[in-house]
Amino acid sequence: MKSIPVQSLVDRFQLEVLAGEERLDRSITRSRSHRPGLEFVGYFDFFPMERVQVLGRKEINYLHKQTAEERKLHIGNVVKYHPPCFIVTTNQDGLKYLMKFCQEEGIPLLRTAETTTEFIAKLDAYLIKELAPEISVHGVCLNVSGIGILLRGKSGIGKSETAHTLIRRGHRLVADDIVVLKKLSPHTLLGSHNGVTKEFLALRSIGLVNVVRLYGRKAFQDETRIVLDIELCPWKDQALNNDLELEAKYTEYLGVRIPHIEIQLQPGRDVAGMIEAAANNWYLKQQGYSAAEEFMKRLEGEIRN
């Protein structure tokens, strides 16, 4: 199971450490935060103790209004489950009693000036991405006209050279050789680089090139949502299907199904242009348009006339 230390939240969001500074190495394993309102009033069914606990104005104002004994009971019932950390929003103060409990239990107590709603949105987005299940695959990841594409094929078949042509046409490289895929949701697959290969493209007979140095910042982006899986393969005589609309095929990564297209290679074929066409055609289909359907309607109209 993937995990990140509480220290990463402190660094990422510039959080103030109020207590438990020596325990910032505690692990976070769940990708969403939780506001422990019901738990402070004694309801612990389904309490997600592994999540980061966020205390907004409602929670803190409720605790402020309690007597010392009531606070001891309500806070004590929550901290005994040892969540990774507590984060107080909106720079709320008067937290000495909370600092005492967290210090005794070794739980980091952090604070941010951001409002609760804004902070939780940023925190959850960060945790989802950092803790997402991931795999690495061999290929090239590109953003073509805003469409995320995973380009695959056997070594030496021309993936990087095709990517270079697309970059020269104004599209963007995300990763070459090693593509990191992260599952953000049952329907969302994010493609990124592994850090080491960032901005680099390996071209046979040329060597390693830095696309940002060659073509500027517009030639690269850190990540993209993968919506098309395109495989380059050798030409096979009599194997191409010339139907008006090919039967949909899919490839699955981490349980996420991605439309799959196979492009056969032959001297003279504009592979980069075909990838551009595939990306734009996918976009049109998302808008509800099908070229095959429009063609058939025209054909039926001609027959009736």
Side-chain angles (χ1 to χ4, degrees):
M1 179 181 293
K2 293 183 65 176
S3 66
I4 58 173
V6 174
Q7 179 70 58
S8 66
L9 300 187
V10 176
D11 298 337
R12 174 77 177 189
F13 299 105
Q14 299 297 301
L15 302 177
E16 179 184 1
V17 182
L18 301 179
E21 185 173 359
E22 68 283 354
R23 294 306 313 276
L24 294 179
D25 60 343
R26 293 186 59 138
S27 296
I28 302 170
T29 59
R30 297 287 295 274
S31 60
R32 293 187 183 275
S33 58
H34 175 68
R35 296 181 68 176
L38 289 174
E39 288 74 22
F40 281 144
V41 297
Y43 184 79
F44 285 89
D45 290 357
F46 313 109
F47 176 42
M49 65 188 76
E50 305 92 347
R51 294 184 181 179
V52 173
Q53 306 295 313
V54 178
L55 305 177
R57 287 188 180 277
K58 291 180 180 179
E59 292 80 14
I60 295 300
N61 284 341
Y62 173 78
L63 293 176
H64 282 349
K65 294 178 180 179
Q66 306 303 299
T67 64
E69 287 300 316
E70 288 172 334
R71 279 200 296 261
K72 182 177 180 180
L73 174 64
H74 296 154
I75 299 175
N77 285 339
V78 174
V79 299
K80 72 180 182 182
Y81 287 98
H82 288 87
C85 65
F86 289 96
I87 302 178
V88 177
T89 61
T90 328
N91 260 350
Q92 297 174 88
D93 53 16
L95 305 174
K96 288 186 177 180
Y97 58 87
L98 192 54
M99 293 167 60
K100 177 177 179 294
F101 279 101
C102 289
Q103 194 66 42
E104 290 175 351
E105 295 293 334
I107 302 173
L109 176 62
L110 315 171
R111 182 164 61 184
T112 177
E114 293 195 64
T115 63
T116 307
T117 302
E118 291 177 350
F119 179 72
I120 287 179
K122 294 179 182 179
L123 175 63
D124 285 353
Y126 173 73
L127 292 176
I128 288 171
K129 186 179 296 184
E130 290 298 311
L131 298 175
E134 67 177 52
I135 58 172
S136 295
V137 299
H138 175 65
V140 181
C141 184
L142 298 151
N143 185 285
V144 178
S145 300
I147 308 300
I149 291 175
L150 177 62
L151 186 62
R152 297 186 298 111
K154 293 182 178 179
S155 182
I157 201 165
K159 299 184 296 298
S160 296
E161 290 81 356
T162 301
H164 180 253
T165 302
L166 287 165
I167 292 167
R168 290 189 61 195
R169 292 184 181 183
H171 306 295
R172 296 178 176 180
L173 174 71
V174 176
D176 180 41
D177 192 30
I178 299 174
V179 181
V180 178
L181 300 178
K182 294 187 176 184
K183 179 182 179 180
L184 301 189
S185 79
H187 308 290
T188 305
L189 195 67
L190 191 72
S192 186
H193 53 79
N194 65 358
V196 177
T197 60
K198 179 179 180 180
E199 301 175 357
F200 290 119
L201 185 66
L203 299 174
R204 289 176 183 265
S205 303
I206 302 297
L208 208 60
V209 299
N210 186 308
V211 298
V212 172
R213 294 296 182 94
L214 284 179
Y215 303 112
R217 290 302 315 171
K218 63 180 176 57
F220 174 82
Q221 68 182 56
D222 273 310
E223 57 192 28
T224 187
R225 181 188 174 191
I226 302 294
V227 298
L228 275 180
D229 176 69
I230 297 180
E231 182 178 2
L232 304 184
C233 60
W235 182 271
K236 303 173 186 176
D237 289 335
Q238 309 302 323
L240 287 181
N241 192 331
N242 291 317
D243 291 343
L244 292 180
E245 190 160 28
L246 299 176
E247 181 182 352
K249 296 181 179 179
Y250 297 89
T251 306
E252 190 171 296
Y253 299 99
L254 296 169
V256 181
R257 292 208 320 161
I258 303 296
H260 172 80
I261 297 174
E262 192 176 275
I263 296 179
Q264 295 184 21
L265 304 182
Q266 191 179 51
R269 286 198 102 188
D270 181 9
V271 179
M274 294 187 70
I275 291 174
E276 288 176 320
N280 291 327
N281 198 45
W282 176 89
Y283 176 78
L284 289 175
K285 286 182 178 180
Q286 304 311 299
Q287 308 306 307
Y289 173 80
S290 169
E293 289 181 6
E294 182 178 355
F295 178 80
M296 291 304 298
K297 288 179 181 178
R298 291 184 184 180
L299 190 60
E300 289 171 1
E302 287 295 319
I303 292 173
R304 284 196 300 268
N305 292 335

